[in-house]
Amino acid sequence: MALSLPIESTIKSLRYQIASCEAQLQDLRHQLADAENRAHWHTIPFESLSHDMIGGVPGDIQTEFLAVLSQNGERRRYAKAWPLEKHEYKRYGRQLIMPEVGLQGQLRLKTSSVLVVGVGGLGCPAAAYLAGAGVGKIGLVDGDTVEESNLHRQILHSTGRVGMTKVESATVSLTQLNPTGEYLAYSSRLTPDTAIEIFQSYDLILDCTDNPASRYLISDTCVLLGKPLVSASALRTEGQLMVLNSPPRPPGDILGGPCYRCIFPKPPPAESVVSCGDGGILGPVVGVMGVLQALEAIKIITRGIQHPDLICHIDIDKPRFQTNNEMPPNPPEPPSLLLFSAYSNPPFRSIRLRSRKSKCASCSAQAIVTREALTSGSLDYVQFCGIVSPVEALSVSERISVDNYARIRTGTNPITGTEARSDSHTLIDVREKVQFDLCNLEGSINIPFSVVSRTSVFVKGNSAKDVGEEEWVTKMRGLPEKKPIFVICRLGNDSQLAVGKMKELGLDCGGRRWVGDVKGGLKAWRDYVDPEFPEY
Amino acid sequence: MSQGKSKDVISITVEFSGGLEMLFSNQRKHILSIPTKDESGEASNVAFLVRYLCEDVMQDNRRELFVLDDTVRPGILVLINDADWQLEGEDKYEIQGGDNIHFLSTLHGG
Ligand SMILES: [Zn+2]
């Protein structure tokens, strides 16, 4: 241990130096963005100053100020304040010339603020497009740090920023993309006691999270504060998108859009929730959904968000500059759910959704989700949605550690003194075939968990679908009785359930054959036995 | 089909997505002929269809991933001809020939 100390302290010191350099860099980037902003302000023709001063400075002082600045009477004749800065006409030109945006839409984007909760596969593309479009202020909420396995889909992060907090990494990217925007980073997970405070200063919320507890919390907070919500999710090859609480009317007002609880009054059983880590995700699939969230947000903002209490536009009440391409006010679209399925034809489908539910716990007149309930902590979202506890299905005698299993595969058995042989036992790998094909232990047999778990134990009557015993069961029955069966999986959960199922099916030959699982699965195998075994 | 004459059955399309297809032989779209009347002689509704799917179509043993307390479990949206079933009378909706009934598990990944 003593020998390794110097190297350990070197590592520590290097980590510290990197972290402090990164913090410094971040600070410099902010300073640069500020300076660029100021430089810009100085270089723009004085004519535009009158617009810049509107709001903060009383009119008469403004006039005086301008008079001082515009000594040159000749130039004064051209004095005209443009509502956008010169560079903004250029930057946003391609969307400005569209009637859907126009000058008014761009001004609305500029004065709007959007909160992106979750800076992953949805949040990254969503925030990128919003920053690109000129949303004035973007808040980013996420408690995670960037991991290598994020990079195929979380496009704001980069290889060099693995280990950095996601919000910090995203801020760096967004600042490079559009330095004129303001980006606020909230580097911890959203909780009921922080949600209201954070949401308060934003006009619109994007739910880019990955779990039901956050989805209920975000929806409840949006209803309480009267914020429209754009919610999306994705898994494997599919995605779903809904615009909720839009228009954002107070609870009990049936003209408001439905909330997440109207559509899903009860959370799904925790065991039925599959994460991207377990189920997989195709980058462009989640990307499409994030881009669509940005699109819906832009549509809502440029249309003009109505605050539930004020019912007036959040930004300029009346444009001071006559625009010829002003759009007639678009009524909000009826509630719908957009489904995307990359491998289906057609890939997009829109589903009509219900309006507000008259007994909704959140947005109805009888709502029980109140501001007090939320802030006092009496609403336990995690408990409401349930947690999957680690599987403890087997007894100690039905399990073997990876170290002991390694001894069975190679080397000399410390007790019997016999040389280990790989054919002394049967190793069943219950991961799905795709994963098995990625990497597996030599000599292992693949019987996917989905096949094991769908197998019925009881033979039913003479229903047409009873086609006898499943092939894998027959095969396993035929294995020599004296050879023990070891079952392994990715993390050590499915393997336990599979052992239980095999015993129910009588594959332990009434106790004569040992059937058990390898504790901790292939993850433990990599951690304690073979570091070269691929991690995915 | 053992139901016999075609006038006693209605042909419908049943779809599963969001991962539910895994409980139904990994097949998203099923063209089914279901009895026009349920066990008690009433017109077949969605509640009957759910029972029918469990008994006659589902190959998987994990029924709890589809039904809970005699109805589809929370987290599954039932869509009748591209509309939330809450707009159509939920499980009491009487099935018509040619209907498209879609069972959709909500996704949570992001
Ligand atoms: Zn509601």
Side-chain angles (χ1 to χ4, degrees):
Chain A
M1 248 6 245
L3 266 175
S4 65
L5 270 178
I7 188 73
E8 263 174 17
S9 74
T10 310
I11 292 173
K12 220 178 196 173
S13 137
L14 283 171
R15 282 211 178 111
Y16 175 76
Q17 285 179 52
I18 291 173
S20 94
C21 284
E22 269 167 0
Q24 233 176 317
L25 255 180
Q26 178 68 12
D27 185 42
L28 285 171
R29 283 199 187 93
H30 278 305
Q31 288 186 36
L32 174 66
D34 281 349
E36 279 175 339
N37 256 340
R38 265 180 284 127
H40 182 81
W41 197 84
H42 285 300
T43 52
I44 46 169
F46 70 90
E47 292 92 324
S48 9
L49 285 174
S50 75
H51 169 69
D52 285 319
M53 302 312 291
I54 286 168
V57 185
D60 47 344
I61 299 178
Q62 214 178 94
T63 322
E64 273 180 45
F65 182 64
L66 281 174
V68 174
L69 277 174
S70 51
Q71 302 284 333
N72 188 332
E74 265 317 286
R75 292 192 64 186
R76 201 177 189 177
R77 259 202 286 152
Y78 302 103
K80 177 167 179 177
W82 300 104
L84 288 172
E85 293 178 36
K86 195 173 166 190
H87 75 104
E88 291 176 313
Y89 288 96
K90 226 176 220 172
R91 180 180 280 266
Y92 307 118
R94 301 294 186 275
Q95 68 187 37
L96 270 170
I97 58 173
M98 293 176 59
E100 288 81 2
V101 179
L103 178 59
Q104 192 186 41
Q106 193 64 52
L107 287 169
R108 283 179 173 164
L109 286 167
K110 189 180 177 174
T111 51
S112 72
S113 51
V114 177
L115 184 70
V116 178
V117 189
V119 192
L122 294 167
C124 284
Y129 275 97
L130 292 175
V135 167
K137 177 172 127 182
I138 298 175
L140 304 160
V141 187
D142 204 308
D144 290 346
T145 51
V146 179
E147 289 176 28
E148 206 170 352
S149 65
N150 300 148
L151 300 175
H152 82 295
R153 65 188 190 283
Q154 305 187 8
I155 55 163
L156 288 180
H157 311 312
S158 70
T159 308
R161 294 200 290 270
V162 167
M164 194 188 260
T165 65
K166 286 190 178 177
V167 287
E168 207 180 334
S169 164
T171 306
V172 173
S173 277
L174 295 176
T175 309
Q176 280 169 355
L177 176 64
N178 190 347
T180 58
E182 184 190 354
Y183 309 112
L184 284 99
Y186 305 89
S187 61
S188 48
R189 209 184 166 79
L190 191 74
T191 56
D193 52 311
T194 54
I196 288 187
E197 204 191 319
I198 296 175
F199 282 33
Q200 242 157 6
S201 48
Y202 294 88
D203 304 322
L204 175 74
I205 315 296
L206 262 53
D207 183 346
C208 302
T209 63
D210 61 0
N211 64 87
S214 306
R215 295 192 182 275
Y216 283 100
L217 169 60
I218 291 169
S219 173
D220 288 350
T221 312
C222 283
V223 170
L224 284 172
L225 296 175
K227 315 278 182 190
L229 167 63
V230 183
S231 179
S233 59
L235 186 70
R236 302 190 183 100
T237 61
E238 294 179 278
Q240 298 168 355
L241 172 90
M242 290 185 287
V243 178
L244 299 167
N245 197 37
S246 178
R249 309 297 284 264
D253 185 338
I254 52 159
L255 293 175
C259 75
Y260 195 76
R261 283 186 196 264
C262 292
I263 315 294
F264 303 110
K266 282 187 206 162
E271 341 43 277
S272 74
V273 177
V274 183
S275 70
C276 291
D278 291 337
I281 180 72
L282 216 48
V285 168
V286 67
V288 160
M289 302 318 293
V291 171
L292 285 170
Q293 281 184 286
L295 175 61
E296 290 304 324
I298 290 170
K299 280 161 70 180
I300 293 170
I301 294 164
T302 51
R303 194 194 289 137
I305 300 174
Q306 299 201 318
H307 191 273
D309 303 325
L310 304 171
I311 313 292
C312 71
H313 290 123
I314 51 151
D315 45 28
I316 45 174
D317 336 76
K318 213 176 160 71
R320 273 165 292 110
F321 298 88
Q322 211 48 53
T323 51
N324 297 324
N325 56 0
E326 212 177 309
M327 291 285 287
N330 292 332
E333 290 156 36
S336 69
L337 163 68
L338 183 68
L339 304 179
F340 173 60
S341 175
Y343 289 79
S344 298
N345 192 16
F348 286 100
R349 277 166 79 172
S350 182
I351 305 298
R352 281 184 296 128
L353 286 181
R354 56 159 312 134
S355 51
R356 278 192 176 179
K357 198 180 167 93
S358 58
K359 285 177 185 156
C360 178
S362 180
C363 71
S364 72
Q366 306 152 42
I368 50 161
V369 178
T370 59
R371 189 184 273 252
E372 294 68 42
L374 195 73
T375 44
S376 70
S378 69
L379 292 166
D380 189 333
Y381 288 87
V382 175
Q383 202 198 325
F384 175 61
C385 294
I387 9 173
V388 186
S389 34
V391 179
E392 291 293 347
L394 302 179
S395 66
V396 184
S397 63
E398 295 171 288
R399 315 196 68 185
I400 185 169
S401 70
V402 281
D403 298 317
N404 286 337
Y405 177 64
R407 265 176 230 134
I408 287 171
R409 282 179 74 88
T410 52
T412 312
N413 187 315
I415 298 157
T416 60
T418 49
E419 278 299 309
R421 288 165 57 97
S422 64
D423 65 352
S424 64
H425 65 281
T426 307
L427 178 65
I428 307 284
D429 187 329
V430 293
R431 291 173 301 152
E432 294 308 303
K433 187 177 180 300
V434 207
Q435 294 186 43
F436 180 79
D437 289 346
L438 283 180
C439 49
N440 56 62
L441 293 180
E442 207 188 326
S444 56
I445 300 169
N446 183 219
I447 304 173
F449 184 66
S450 60
V451 173
V452 176
S453 58
R454 72 161 184 234
T455 307
S456 12
V457 174
F458 306 104
V459 178
K460 281 196 233 161
N462 39 9
S463 155
K465 75 171 187 183
D466 280 333
V467 287
E469 198 169 74
E470 289 236 22
E471 204 188 323
W472 73 272
V473 182
T474 315
K475 230 182 223 170
M476 280 189 68
R477 279 196 208 289
L479 293 169
E481 221 174 76
K482 58 179 195 302
K483 282 190 189 176
I485 295 174
F486 296 96
V487 181
I488 199 163
C489 68
R490 191 177 178 187
L491 301 170
N493 293 325
D494 288 353
S495 57
Q496 295 181 56
L497 301 174
V499 166
K501 189 54 155 294
M502 288 171 187
K503 289 192 171 177
E504 280 178 63
L505 287 161
L507 294 175
D508 61 344
C509 307
R512 291 187 302 281
R513 172 155 64 196
W514 192 86
V515 182
D517 94 313
V518 181
K519 251 192 280 179
L522 291 162
K523 184 186 183 298
W525 180 262
R526 179 179 50 252
D527 290 348
Y528 301 107
V529 180
D530 178 11
E532 293 306 308
F533 193 83
E535 180 179 6
Y536 60 89
Chain B
M1 277 281 134
S2 55
Q3 279 83 3
K5 289 181 232 110
S6 62
K7 65 172 183 181
D8 299 332
V9 295
I10 34 177
S11 176
I12 57 167
T13 305
V14 176
E15 288 186 71
F16 301 98
S17 65
L20 281 181
E21 66 276 13
M22 290 177 196
L23 300 177
F24 295 88
S25 346
N26 253 320
Q27 192 185 327
R28 283 163 176 271
K29 200 180 255 187
H30 297 246
I31 312 285
L32 299 179
S33 292
I34 64 159
T36 45
K37 301 264 193 270
D38 69 9
E39 307 91 334
S40 51
E42 302 288 321
S44 296
N45 57 19
V46 177
F48 168 73
L49 175 66
V50 170
R51 288 198 297 277
Y52 179 87
L53 291 171
C54 284
E55 294 299 322
D56 295 74
V57 185
M58 193 192 277
Q59 294 285 339
D60 203 287
N61 209 27
R62 293 169 293 172
R63 210 167 278 196
E64 70 281 3
L65 292 180
F66 186 55
V67 285
L68 190 73
D69 303 329
D70 290 329
T71 186
V72 288
R73 69 157 170 82
I76 293 179
L77 274 186
V78 186
L79 312 169
I80 299 170
N81 301 322
D82 284 345
D84 184 349
W85 74 338
Q86 297 187 70
L87 295 166
E88 306 286 345
E90 302 196 21
D91 64 356
K92 289 175 192 64
Y93 171 82
E94 288 178 10
I95 297 170
Q96 315 290 312
D99 274 352
N100 177 299
I101 318 275
H102 187 160
F103 296 88
L104 170 91
S105 174
T106 52
L107 308 174
H108 294 283

